[in-house]
Amino acid sequence: MIRVETPRPHVALVTLDKPARRNALDLPGFRALSRAWRDVAADGARVAVVTGVRDFSSGADLKTFPDDVAAALRGGELPEHLWGDIHGAILRDRVLPFPVVAAIEGICFGAGFELVGATDIRIAGDTAQFSTPEVGRGFMASGGTVARLPRQIGYAAAMQVLLTGARFGAERMREWGYVSEVVPAGTALDRALDIAELIAAHPPAAVRAIKRAVGEGVRGTLAEAYAIETRAADELL
């Protein structure tokens, strides 16, 4: 269900392709997506775009995912290996050296929401819908969103998303800063590829240095961020 292509020079396109299940990720799907990110990094892509067929993703496939996880653990798979694959798929513990642009159409729920939250630039069709519905099922998002979302859109907005499990439109998510741009429905992928192609045309060392400096800098104080920026700029020069 995971396809990897190179539609533009130095741009990798990672597509979730299981539209009959609205691109829900079962355990093999999580593992395939985790492998795809490793392959894209090994192939030397300068930028990646991630999208889904018709919808972005409805999240984990609850028809099979819990039973598959339980079966893997009963079969002796180490929890850290199992969850390493799952978290690696949605980039919770994997920091890619190149930028990732998300192209979002349709629904973006659960694990799909968590994957988008780990990307660098997010383009949404104007009919896209976003939700973290886990709370309504008695559990919580655990792929990085609880830790990351308050830092991205602010405390109150993050709590509204996480605690209500409600659906939010693309324009509201843009207002909160979760989405970079809202475009007409059906055009998010073209816009994302255009942005990725523009980035890929720049010297890759500069692009990677900016991503590294920003990613490290937002985790500390402003003074620490200045020091990281200076070190990265000096190394680049």
Side-chain angles (χ1 to χ4, degrees):
M1 68 168 291
I2 306 299
R3 290 189 283 109
V4 180
E5 305 162 274
T6 307
R8 309 276 179 97
H10 309 295
V11 175
L13 174 60
V14 178
T15 303
L16 282 63
D17 188 359
K18 195 176 183 181
R21 295 292 298 155
R22 308 194 83 168
N23 302 323
L25 290 162
D26 54 16
L27 183 55
F30 276 105
R31 294 193 196 274
L33 182 55
S34 184
R35 287 194 301 272
W37 290 125
R38 289 195 296 268
D39 292 344
V40 168
D43 288 344
R46 295 184 182 182
V47 188
V49 174
V50 60
T51 193
V53 175
R54 291 204 292 271
D55 294 287
F56 187 80
S57 174
S58 58
D61 191 336
L62 298 183
K63 289 183 68 174
T64 61
F65 179 72
D67 290 341
D68 286 349
V69 169
L73 294 174
R74 285 196 304 270
E77 183 167 1
L78 294 175
E80 56 267 31
H81 180 267
L82 174 67
W83 288 104
D85 275 349
I86 295 167
H87 288 159
I90 56 177
L91 303 178
R92 180 186 188 272
D93 301 310
R94 177 177 292 158
V95 179
L96 298 172
F98 48 81
V100 181
V101 184
I104 308 135
E105 302 278 3
I107 62 173
C108 180
F109 295 171
F113 187 102
E114 302 214 81
L115 173 56
V116 168
T119 63
D120 302 292
I121 298 172
R122 304 154 197 178
I123 311 301
D126 58 14
T127 58
Q129 295 282 312
F130 299 80
S131 176
T132 57
E134 290 87 347
V135 65
R137 297 179 178 273
F139 57 104
M140 60 182 274
S142 59
T145 295
V146 169
R148 190 170 50 224
L149 194 62
R151 292 168 168 81
Q152 294 181 336
I153 68 174
Y155 178 86
M159 292 300 274
Q160 187 171 345
V161 172
L162 293 167
L163 292 176
T164 66
R167 297 186 180 195
F168 297 89
E171 190 56 41
R172 171 60 66 86
M173 298 305 286
R174 187 198 64 78
E175 291 169 358
W176 280 339
Y178 184 81
V179 166
S180 310
E181 288 185 27
V182 176
V183 297
T187 68
L189 179 56
D190 287 341
R191 177 61 178 149
L193 288 171
D194 287 345
I195 292 172
E197 186 174 25
L198 177 62
I199 295 170
H202 297 316
V207 172
R208 291 177 181 233
I210 292 168
K211 172 160 181 174
R212 185 177 72 250
V214 173
E216 293 177 3
V218 296
R219 293 194 290 269
T221 66
L222 183 60
E224 290 168 338
Y226 283 148
I228 291 166
E229 177 189 276
T230 297
R231 183 173 68 250
D234 287 348
E235 290 172 357
L236 187 61
L237 289 173

